Amino acid sequence: MVYKREKHGAYTLHTIKTDKFKLCHMELIFRNNVIKEDITKRNVLFDLLTEANKEYPTRRLLTLKLEDLYNSSIYSVTSKVGNAILTNVCLDFINPKYTDKNVLEETLKLPLDMVFNPLAFNGEFDSKLVEITKKRAEGEIKSIKENPKKYAIMKAIETLGDTPSSYSNVGTLTDLEKITPSSLYKYYEEVLKNDYVDIYIIGNLDMENVSKIINKYAEFKIIKNHPFSFYVENMKRKPVVKKEKFIYLQTNLVTILHLNKLTDFEKKYVAHLYNLILGGGSLETKLYQRLRVDNSLCYNVNSMYQKYDGLILITTAVDINAEDKAFKLIKQSIKDMSNKVSDEELNQAKEAIIAALNMNMDNIGKIVDNYFYQNESDIDDFETRIENFKKVTLEDIYNLSKKVSISTIFSLVGGEDNAKN
Amino acid sequence: MQKIKINNTGEVLYTETLDNGLKILMVPNYKVKNFYLTINTKFGSIHTDFKFNGKNFKLPKGTAHFLEHLLFNMPDGSSAHDYFSQIGSNVNAFTSYDVTCYEVYANNKFKENLSYLLKFVYTPYFTKELVNGEKGIITEEIKMISDNPASEIVYGLFRNVFIKDERQYLISGTIEDIKKMTSEDLNTAYEAFYHPENMFLIITGNFKPEEAVAITINTMKEMEFSEYIKPVLKTIKEPSKVKNEYAEKEMPVDKEKVTVCLKIPKNNFKSLKLTDLELRLYINLIMRINFGSTSLLKEELLSGGIITTSISTYLIATDEYLVQAIMVATEYPDYFIKRVKDTLQNLIITEEEITRKVKSSISSLIMSFDDIEIVNNDIQEDIINYGSYITDMISLYRKLNMETAQKVLGKLNKNISAIHILKPKSQQN
């Protein structure tokens, strides 16, 4: 795998040459500090940009073109990572070696055309297109309730107060209502003006040629130089306990743990292993053992380490009568992390994380992620990460557990009675 | 060992059948770091009623899934999860209507992973205590499934389409079914369906086929298997009618989820002399052109605000029927149903569209070989659906033609068989 980085004025091009895949993959990554009111606008904007443009004014015409380009695909993903908002405009396409006609330039040009030649006239996006994408965003926001786990997490993180960690990824209906074809176009101009932009391309391609093609069509003009950070500083606090009723059969529980003032080494290594032992890894975790194996209380129980927010989120769904017992067992599992972790558990967590790092190296998108976070965040290179994970001791885990406190206990209480008759 | 080229992809399939009857299918990929092992038995949720060794059996619904959960327990009190966790591998399992699959994903210790996968799957251990302990877990799993509208769309459809076919029931069984489960039921199921002759091992990713076969032989040489007696499944004659032409259910959904379905007897196409696979490819093609992402209907419904995303299509086949589902989320179910009815009466196919879809299907297939899980799953599905892995899929795509497509279209039942709607359920204030 040969990685190269080229600064092209207002954007940086990263090429990763590898013969590992028959697929090739390109990402235009836009990033900035998150602003709560802009999340909804951003979701609508990038959905609109990848739905149609001046040359292909409907999604159908664009899809027909993509099929002609040997079933290439274009899509965007917007995600909030700690204090940052990232949008990845992605292109997947087959290596030209497998096609009867070379359409590389046409293929690489397409996502750039989508960004630079949107369906807009006189400072406004096409109103029909805005309507379609707004309706889709409305569906996304409202349908969160269809996924009990996601909905419970959304409600639980709201308790964190005014911090980027509490913002919902999908946006809000209030912000959606305010979007007009012209306000959205203004935001589009702001994004082009203010967002940092990186272009990553991976595949078995002549990267010099790729660089020339991209340079020809990438019209990013403004060089950015403002502060940008992934990390959010959340403050330690007394636990907030909150309950809400909903019409699911099960009660969904979310426990948010705050990690107070971790060192860099703890953030990057110890906390990952702590999380894996607690509930993030295999089916042998503290939480899994206590809740599922020993007490048959649930099918799933997981914990997720949110590195840039300094939080761990524990989620499970249990019988409506088992809520108190489940929370008691969750608390016991957290307590176990301060003095009852075995060498075996730590070694298993290390094996699991090293295996996961290796697994990521077979996934074209995760390879791009890996380089992106190494370049823009504080992630170490692959070998250093493996070495440092190996260095973590039980004492490190116990020390970290002293910095863990419960921040939120949230129950989305289920029950047929909650429904309107 | 047999070596077969997978046409036009540069990939090779290796196959071997062991003396005990276990079939091994392997597609190595030396460019990736990982390997993916699955051992599969042709035993799913629909196989509850059968004759085995001279006796008739009727197992509780959900037996295959329950057995899948319990098989991880080992006689020494450990769980297979313990072993795989220790060596940093991912192990899991799933049960569908017609197969149970145990899977391991890892990137080192190939021998240990493969040996232990075989070892735990061929070590049944079902005590009364284990069975009772698992009931609580599976009960919560069933509730979790019941809270998920995406699952209800599929289950609701099958519940209303099938009259006798076992696909009308939950793969997991209901909470009541689970309460009835005994270790005897599990032992019966294991004995009847977990013989190597009824199973197949699929390996994809970075490994050496010769070594994989040697490890499998070596691991299994001390395992004892009785002579294979094939369970005789009860033949079910599914009527051409559906159980309910219209059904609705309330769930916490934002807008109506509508599924329109065609129950098509395979017999309709008998005179065309197409294989099952060819027939499915033609039906998929027709549905993709008329309801897929490039269809005029999708564009019309999207621009008219009837839908906000896409129209999903889903085709399943039983022995006698093809069940084609067409699904959307919409605030206007009646209008959507009307437009589907109109479209079904005026289905179109053009030479240009066939060429484009064939080209895009071939590209997708070639790209899918990058993913060792997809390759493994495709082999599994082909074996379950067609009896063997289809290694010349690209030639089959290239053979799709206008003339045959028109004939299939002519024989397609174009009347909606059933409609299933999930309606928003309101929250009490």
Side-chain angles (χ1 to χ4, degrees):
Chain A
M1 210 173 299
V2 182
Y3 168 75
K4 277 189 188 163
R5 179 181 171 138
E6 294 170 18
K7 190 87 191 129
H8 286 247
Y11 73 95
T12 307
L13 176 68
H14 310 255
T15 59
I16 307 157
K17 187 170 167 64
T18 170
D19 67 353
K20 202 166 193 170
F21 308 103
K22 295 178 167 73
L23 179 74
C24 301
H25 179 76
M26 179 163 116
E27 289 191 22
L28 278 66
I29 308 179
F30 296 79
R31 72 189 145 89
N32 215 327
N33 299 308
V34 65
I35 297 170
K36 190 177 182 183
E37 293 72 29
D38 287 350
I39 295 173
T40 321
K41 251 190 287 188
R42 192 174 182 103
N43 286 332
V44 175
L45 173 67
F46 280 96
D47 187 29
L48 180 146
L49 292 177
T50 49
E51 177 83 2
N53 72 355
K54 278 201 178 107
E55 198 172 355
Y56 305 104
T58 66
R59 180 74 205 185
R60 177 174 178 266
L61 294 172
L62 176 66
T63 311
L64 287 170
K65 179 67 193 169
L66 289 164
E67 285 190 348
D68 280 338
L69 296 174
Y70 299 89
N71 214 25
S72 299
S73 56
I74 290 182
Y75 51 96
S76 70
V77 181
T78 295
S79 46
K80 187 180 67 62
V81 182
N83 184 56
I85 185 109
L86 308 174
T87 302
N88 304 42
V89 175
C90 306
L91 166 76
D92 290 333
F93 60 101
I94 193 167
N95 190 296
K97 154 178 171 189
Y98 297 97
T99 62
D100 43 17
K101 206 169 128 193
N102 194 334
V103 290
L104 182 65
E105 181 161 352
E106 223 182 321
T107 310
L108 294 179
K109 179 176 175 268
L110 195 53
L112 293 161
D113 264 356
M114 302 302 291
V115 171
F116 293 110
N117 295 304
L119 195 60
F121 305 92
N122 306 319
E124 286 191 2
F125 283 115
D126 176 77
S127 59
K128 186 84 203 167
L129 193 58
V130 173
E131 195 189 316
I132 289 173
T133 45
K134 274 181 75 177
K135 275 208 109 176
R136 193 177 298 147
E138 185 188 337
E140 289 286 322
I141 296 166
K142 288 183 174 171
S143 66
I144 281 277
K145 288 182 181 172
E146 293 176 13
N147 184 322
K149 184 175 167 180
K150 272 194 192 169
Y151 184 56
I153 290 176
M154 191 183 87
K155 300 300 283 181
I157 62 171
E158 278 174 9
T159 66
L160 292 168
D162 190 20
T163 152
S165 304
S166 72
Y167 304 165
S168 158
N169 249 329
V170 290
T172 66
L173 292 172
T174 317
D175 289 335
L176 187 67
E177 270 177 35
K178 292 178 198 156
I179 296 174
T180 64
S182 58
S183 72
L184 195 63
Y185 194 82
K186 271 192 200 112
Y187 180 65
Y188 162 71
E189 290 178 318
E190 279 171 31
V191 167
L192 288 185
K193 198 170 140 195
N194 299 325
D195 268 37
Y196 285 96
V197 180
D198 290 274
I199 302 179
Y200 283 79
I201 182 148
I202 175 168
N204 195 9
L205 298 164
D206 170 359
M207 292 303 184
E208 271 185 35
N209 185 32
V210 165
S211 171
K212 276 184 207 154
I213 297 170
I214 290 175
N215 208 20
K216 191 167 153 190
Y217 299 105
E219 297 168 23
F220 297 104
K221 291 194 171 68
I222 300 164
I223 297 173
K224 292 91 189 173
N225 195 20
H226 56 80
F228 167 81
S229 169
F230 281 99
Y231 282 103
V232 179
E233 281 300 321
N234 285 309
M235 304 307 287
K236 188 178 171 180
R237 63 175 190 180
K238 278 188 181 171
V240 170
V241 181
K242 201 174 170 192
K243 280 187 191 207
E244 274 188 40
K245 284 184 177 182
F246 203 68
I247 47 183
Y248 304 125
L249 294 179
Q250 289 181 302
T251 290
N252 283 266
L253 308 176
V254 181
T255 310
I256 303 179
L257 307 182
H258 179 258
L259 309 176
N260 196 34
K261 294 184 181 156
L262 302 191
T263 64
D264 280 354
F265 187 75
E266 283 175 327
K267 277 179 199 163
K268 285 155 66 175
Y269 300 102
V270 186
H272 280 288
L273 294 171
Y274 175 98
N275 175 57
L276 284 178
I277 299 164
L278 175 65
S282 66
L283 302 183
E284 297 302 309
T285 62
K286 297 281 187 207
L287 288 163
Y288 190 88
Q289 280 297 322
R290 281 203 184 265
L291 273 81
R292 177 167 154 152
V293 178
D294 298 344
N295 289 282
S296 302
L297 275 193
C298 62
Y299 178 65
N300 267 334
V301 55
N302 295 103
S303 66
M304 292 176 281
Y305 172 42
Q306 307 288 95
K307 179 183 159 198
Y308 298 107
D309 298 285
L311 303 171
I312 288 176
L313 270 64
I314 299 169
T315 59
T316 189
V318 297
D319 182 81
I320 51 169
N321 299 312
E323 182 189 339
D324 293 343
K325 188 174 179 186
F327 272 130
K328 198 174 147 200
L329 295 170
I330 290 169
K331 283 181 190 163
Q332 279 173 358
S333 306
I334 297 165
K335 201 175 165 204
D336 287 347
M337 293 301 296
S338 63
N339 57 9
K340 284 185 188 147
V341 179
S342 66
D343 285 324
E344 200 187 348
E345 283 172 302
L346 179 59
N347 287 336
Q348 279 180 22
K350 288 180 183 178
E351 289 278 359
I353 206 150
I354 292 167
L357 288 174
N358 276 309
M359 279 174 200
N360 288 348
M361 298 315 280
D362 281 352
N363 180 302
I364 205 161
K366 295 227 171 103
I367 294 173
V368 168
D369 269 3
N370 188 45
Y371 280 107
F372 174 76
Y373 283 100
Q374 268 184 48
N375 288 328
E376 311 309 334
S377 170
D378 54 358
I379 286 187
D380 296 316
D381 63 58
F382 187 76
E383 286 74 22
T384 310
R385 264 187 284 169
I386 290 182
E387 283 314 305
N388 282 340
F389 276 121
K390 286 181 182 167
K391 282 181 197 159
V392 174
T393 63
L394 275 184
E395 205 185 336
D396 292 329
I397 300 285
Y398 293 152
N399 281 336
L400 188 132
S401 78
K402 290 177 195 154
K403 300 178 179 181
V404 175
S405 58
I406 295 179
S407 176
T408 299
I409 293 178
F410 179 78
S411 325
L412 193 59
V413 181
E416 299 270 30
D417 303 346
N418 299 337
K420 203 187 269 177
N421 292 319
Chain B
M1 185 157 47
Q2 249 197 310
K3 198 175 159 184
I4 306 159
K5 276 189 184 169
I6 304 171
N7 287 345
N8 301 297
T9 62
E11 310 290 341
V12 177
L13 168 74
Y14 295 81
T15 63
E16 181 67 278
T17 304
L18 304 189
D19 292 344
N20 60 28
L22 184 73
K23 190 158 193 175
I24 311 174
L25 299 101
M26 297 163 282
V27 178
N29 176 349
Y30 299 114
K31 288 184 175 160
V32 298
K33 277 188 168 188
N34 299 285
F35 51 84
Y36 181 49
L37 317 169
T38 64
I39 185 152
N40 307 272
T41 176
K42 294 171 195 168
F43 177 49
S45 66
I46 60 173
H47 306 126
T48 52
D49 212 343
F50 57 93
K51 191 172 180 178
F52 177 65
N53 213 0
K55 281 189 201 161
N56 288 315
F57 292 96
K58 198 169 170 74
L59 298 174
K61 299 185 195 317
T63 302
H65 175 252
F66 205 109
L67 199 164
E68 171 232 295
H69 270 237
L70 272 204
L71 202 52
F72 284 85
N73 296 297
M74 300 300 279
D76 63 0
S78 72
S79 148
H81 294 296
D82 300 338
Y83 181 82
F84 289 107
S85 296
Q86 277 163 21
I87 61 172
S89 306
N90 288 342
V91 62
N92 211 334
F94 66 86
T95 306
S96 71
Y97 291 113
D98 36 28
V99 69
T100 309
C101 171
Y102 300 84
E103 54 186 0
V104 174
Y105 198 102
N107 48 50
N108 65 12
K109 298 183 178 143
F110 179 78
K111 184 181 170 187
E112 289 85 341
N113 279 293
L114 176 55
S115 295
Y116 202 81
L117 173 66
L118 294 163
K119 192 175 167 191
F120 96 79
V121 170
Y122 287 114
T123 308
Y125 183 66
F126 315 125
T127 63
K128 202 174 166 184
E129 292 69 34
L130 288 171
V131 172
N132 288 336
E134 205 65 24
K135 285 181 180 177
I137 296 166
I138 295 179
T139 299
E140 290 311 312
E141 186 182 2
I142 294 168
K143 286 190 211 159
M144 193 180 77
I145 294 166
S146 309
D147 271 340
N148 182 350
S151 307
E152 177 54 26
I153 289 171
V154 179
Y155 284 125
L157 171 71
F158 291 167
R159 209 167 43 234
N160 292 301
V161 163
F162 293 117
I163 294 173
K164 292 197 170 169
D165 193 295
E166 293 278 316
R167 287 172 184 83
Q168 67 187 292
Y169 304 112
L170 287 175
I171 289 171
S172 57
T174 61
I175 294 173
E176 289 310 305
D177 294 324
I178 296 315
K179 279 183 190 161
K180 288 182 226 152
M181 198 71 65
T182 65
S183 51
E184 289 74 35
D185 295 323
L186 301 175
N187 280 316
T188 302
Y190 189 88
E191 210 187 319
F193 294 99
Y194 277 70
H195 192 285
E197 187 97 30
N198 194 46
M199 300 177 76
F200 51 100
L201 173 66
I202 309 173
I203 311 177
T204 50
N206 197 339
F207 68 97
K208 294 187 188 81
E210 295 78 5
E211 190 189 359
V213 173
I215 293 166
T216 309
I217 292 174
N218 204 36
T219 308
M220 295 186 86
K221 74 181 176 202
E222 280 162 27
M223 296 176 181
E224 284 179 21
F225 299 100
S226 53
E227 198 185 328
Y228 180 56
I229 304 165
K230 195 176 162 72
V232 182
L233 297 165
K234 191 177 169 188
T235 317
I236 293 165
K237 187 84 190 138
E238 171 69 20
S240 59
K241 280 197 219 160
V242 295
K243 191 192 282 168
N244 293 306
E245 288 180 8
Y246 180 85
E248 54 183 50
K249 184 177 175 178
E250 287 193 346
M251 280 198 87
V253 291
D254 146 49
K255 54 175 82 111
E256 278 85 345
K257 312 267 183 206
V258 184
T259 307
V260 169
C261 154
L262 309 178
K263 187 174 181 182
I264 313 162
K266 286 183 182 171
N267 258 340
N268 287 8
F269 307 93
K270 212 173 170 183
S271 62
L272 301 182
K273 296 193 165 52
L274 296 171
T275 62
D276 230 34
L277 172 59
E278 285 166 336
L279 180 59
R280 283 200 217 187
L281 290 179
Y282 276 108
I283 303 228
N284 265 327
L285 187 67
I286 293 166
M287 290 298 151
R288 238 178 113 186
I289 292 171
N290 289 279
F291 297 96
S293 55
T294 60
S295 67
L296 292 166
L297 180 68
K298 188 222 160 181
E299 184 170 68
E300 174 206 311
L301 297 178
L302 191 64
S303 68
I306 305 300
I307 60 170
T308 58
T309 53
S310 53
I311 306 174
S312 311
T313 56
Y314 174 64
L315 179 72
I316 70 140
T318 69
D319 289 343
E320 303 160 276
Y321 295 93
L322 291 167
V323 176
Q324 175 68 56
I326 302 163
M327 301 175 276
V328 294
T330 180
E331 287 167 10
Y332 309 99
D334 295 339
Y335 185 77
F336 169 70
I337 293 163
K338 180 187 174 305
R339 291 298 294 121
V340 172
K341 279 182 184 167
D342 298 342
T343 307
L344 284 169
Q345 295 310 318
N346 297 290
L347 292 172
I348 43 161
I349 31 170
T350 63
E351 199 84 60
E352 190 195 352
E353 279 285 344
I354 293 179
T355 310
R356 184 184 280 119
K357 301 296 181 223
V358 165
K359 182 172 152 182
S360 81
S361 298
I362 292 173
S363 297
S364 292
L365 181 72
I366 293 172
M367 289 189 275
S368 74
F369 279 92
D370 282 344
D371 188 324
I372 61 173
E373 285 185 70
I374 293 180
V375 177
N376 202 305
N377 293 344
D378 284 350
I379 297 173
Q380 185 211 64
E381 281 182 22
D382 282 0
I383 290 179
I384 295 298
N385 291 325
Y386 315 115
S388 63
Y389 179 46
I390 314 296
T391 51
D392 61 349
M393 199 66 197
I394 290 180
S395 318
L396 287 171
Y397 280 132
R398 287 193 178 129
K399 279 183 202 158
L400 295 176
N401 61 77
M402 184 70 177
E403 196 190 337
T404 317
Q406 290 282 16
K407 285 181 189 164
V408 172
L409 191 57
K411 294 188 177 292
L412 195 63
N413 164 15
K414 299 178 187 78
N415 293 319
I416 292 174
S417 313
I419 295 165
H420 176 65
I421 303 183
L422 288 189
K423 292 194 148 187
K425 186 177 190 177
S426 313
Q427 164 92 357
Q428 201 173 39
N429 293 319

